[in-house]
């Protein structure tokens, strides 16, 4: 796979160009600040609300989304995926003109055909692989985060140069920008969210319920399962050393326990693979995108109900108790 680094990208491509950052949330704020610190001219487009206030505090002068879309050479769409089709239709598309570049931080809407860009502009993707907060923290520390990059439509012949310059301005070429595709980016992202993370969350909550039933103190259980930050350290070392290589940091007892019980730990891989198959099929067919669009149109009733249910689980009280016992939070 082609991976782009600092020497592959030239920030001079963005000289004299204005970047319109649409949305000042997780990614919008981090990317706008990084690009500005990289010497790029940035205008923030946002509704007049709390996000706009934050942009002002950060030294930007936010304008309405339509103005930012009209005035920018490169329009970076950094609002939530599910609201992009409506905002694109009403606030962005009517103001686009030939010669502009439309940039996405996920392949979601273009890949599923929910945003159809005009034929006479460049369409690119620079999708950081982690949360906006980390995009900013890594950049400020002199590093960066990985990104998926791709070009969907190259009218100008310069789309790749712009893609890599943006990746560099955000800090992503410091870590490596991977050339995947709009489809791969979004399908893998949704797969993690819908097949991998639910299984991990369910394992943790089931383990909590089981151990409480067996009479263990809730503080000790939560500490063991995740509050000590040991799992976070394990994941960090998986990324840095390799999934099994990092095991050398653990005791032989731990290594033997994990390796001897790994097979069959999920109650049979056939069941797990079946669930993964169903999830991927739902994603690839566009049925998930349609489900999520309907949920957004209805005002997120299921999301609100599910969030409420999750936050009412007793594990949340245990979380609070454990956190109150940590010196940093006491
Ligand atoms: P956020 O939820 O943080 O976006 C919030 C911003 O979107 C605010 O500026 C908000 O302003 C604006 N917004 C929300 N609803 C509307 C609306 N209906 N009309 C106009 N503006 C709206 O988004 P993220 O940063 O999480 O995601 C942005 C993009 O980045 C997505 O494509 C996502 O897939 C991608 N991405 C996200 C990552 C993450 O970790 N969060 C990681 C990598 C990529 P206001 O409320 O004023 O309208």
């Amino acid at each position: 796979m082609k991976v782009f680094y600092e020497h592959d990208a030239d920030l001079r491509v963005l000289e004299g160009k204005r970047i319109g950052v649409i949305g000042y949330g997780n990614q919008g704020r981090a990317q706008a600040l990084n690009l500005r610190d990289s010497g790029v001219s940035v205008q923030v487009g946002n509704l007049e609300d709390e996000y706009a206030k934050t942009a002002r505090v950060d030294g930007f002068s936010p304008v309405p989304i339509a103005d930012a879309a009209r005035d920018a050479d490169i329009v970076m769409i950094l609002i939530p995926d599910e609201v992009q089709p409506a905002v694109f239709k009403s606030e962005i598309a009517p103001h686009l003109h030939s010669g502009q570049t439309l940039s996405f931080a996920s392949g979601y809407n273009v890949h599923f055909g929910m945003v159809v860009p005009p034929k006479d502009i460049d369409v690119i993707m620079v999708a950081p692989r982690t949360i906006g907060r980390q995009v900013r923290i890594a950049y400020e520390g002199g590093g960066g985060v990985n990104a998926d990059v791709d070009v969907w439509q190259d009218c100008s012949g310069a789309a790749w140069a712009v893609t890599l310059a943006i990746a560099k301005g955000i800090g992503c070429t410091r870590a490596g920008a991977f050339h995947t595709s709009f489809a791969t980016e979004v399908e893998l992202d949704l797969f993690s969210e819908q097949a991998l993370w639910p299984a991990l969350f369910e394992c943790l909550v089931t383990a909590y319920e089981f151990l409480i039933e067996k009479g263990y103190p809730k503080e000790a259980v939560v500490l063991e399962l995740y509050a000590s930050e040991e799992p976070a350290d394990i994941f960090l070392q998986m990324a840095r050393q390799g999934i099994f290589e990092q095991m050398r940091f653990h005791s032989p007892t731990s290594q033997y326990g994990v390796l001897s019980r790994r097979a069959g730990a999920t109650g049979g891989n056939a069941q797990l693979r079946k669930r993964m198959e169903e999830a991927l099929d739902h994603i690839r067919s566009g049925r998930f995108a349609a489900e999520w669009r309907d949920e957004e149109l209805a005002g997120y009733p299921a999301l609100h109900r599910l969030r409420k249910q999750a936050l009412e689980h007793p594990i949340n009280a245990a979380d609070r108790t454990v956190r109150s016992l940590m010196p940093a939070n006491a």
Side-chain angles (χ1 to χ4, degrees), residues 12-192:
R12 285 175 301 183
V13 171
L14 302 179
E15 268 173 21
K17 295 202 188 303
R18 172 181 280 181
I19 299 204
V21 170
I22 310 294
Y24 203 71
N26 292 310
Q27 290 294 331
R29 178 168 190 263
Q31 296 194 25
L33 290 170
N34 290 5
L35 285 164
R36 186 176 67 184
D37 289 350
S38 295
V40 179
S41 164
V42 175
Q43 180 165 61
V44 172
N46 207 91
L47 293 175
E48 203 40 64
D49 64 2
E50 286 303 312
Y51 290 101
K53 260 190 212 157
T54 307
R56 276 207 185 79
V57 170
D58 290 341
F60 292 105
S61 303
V63 297
I65 290 174
D67 294 0
R70 189 194 54 231
D71 296 346
D73 298 291
I74 299 153
V75 182
M76 295 180 59
I77 304 203
L78 295 172
I79 57 179
D81 293 317
E82 73 279 11
V83 307
Q84 287 181 19
V87 176
F88 183 78
K89 196 169 168 208
S90 63
E91 306 290 314
I92 299 174
H95 307 285
L96 293 178
H97 46 87
S98 170
Q100 284 178 306
T101 299
L102 205 52
S103 175
F104 292 87
S106 166
Y108 194 103
N109 281 295
V110 173
H111 173 63
F112 289 120
M114 293 177 148
V115 165
V116 181
K119 289 283 172 227
D120 58 346
I121 63 172
D122 291 351
V123 182
I124 66 172
M125 174 181 77
V126 179
R129 296 273 31 99
T130 189
I131 56 175
R133 194 169 168 273
Q134 191 55 30
V135 171
R136 181 63 181 156
I137 290 171
Y139 181 94
E140 283 183 304
V145 305
N146 295 114
D148 280 24
V149 290
D150 191 26
V151 169
W152 178 269
Q153 191 166 283
D154 187 0
C155 296
S156 68
W160 266 109
V162 169
T163 305
L164 297 179
I166 289 177
K168 186 169 191 167
I170 295 168
C172 296
T173 48
R174 294 175 181 174
F178 287 59
H179 179 194
T180 61
S181 69
F182 279 57
T184 294
E185 189 280 333
V186 66
E187 288 175 4
L188 290 184
D189 199 42
L190 293 177
F191 179 84
S192 297

Side-chain angles (χ1 to χ4, degrees), residues 259-330:
L259 294 174
S260 62
R261 266 73 176 166
R262 184 168 75 93
T266 58
N269 287 358
Q271 189 59 27
L272 189 63
R273 287 185 66 97
K274 183 168 174 283
R275 174 70 200 99
M276 289 178 171
E277 194 74 49
E278 287 164 359
L280 190 59
D281 181 52
H282 201 67
I283 291 163
R284 281 183 165 167
S285 66
R287 293 201 304 280
F288 173 76
E291 174 188 327
W292 185 221
R293 181 199 52 216
D294 291 347
E295 173 69 5
E296 189 265 332
L297 287 175
Y300 304 101
L303 179 61
H304 292 317
R305 176 175 45 78
L306 291 165
R307 252 193 209 147
K308 184 164 176 289
Q309 253 173 27
L311 289 169
E312 281 169 0
H313 191 283
I315 199 168
N316 295 281
D319 271 345
R320 286 189 288 275
T321 307
V322 170
R323 281 203 307 279
S324 74
L325 298 172
M326 307 286 185
N329 302 316

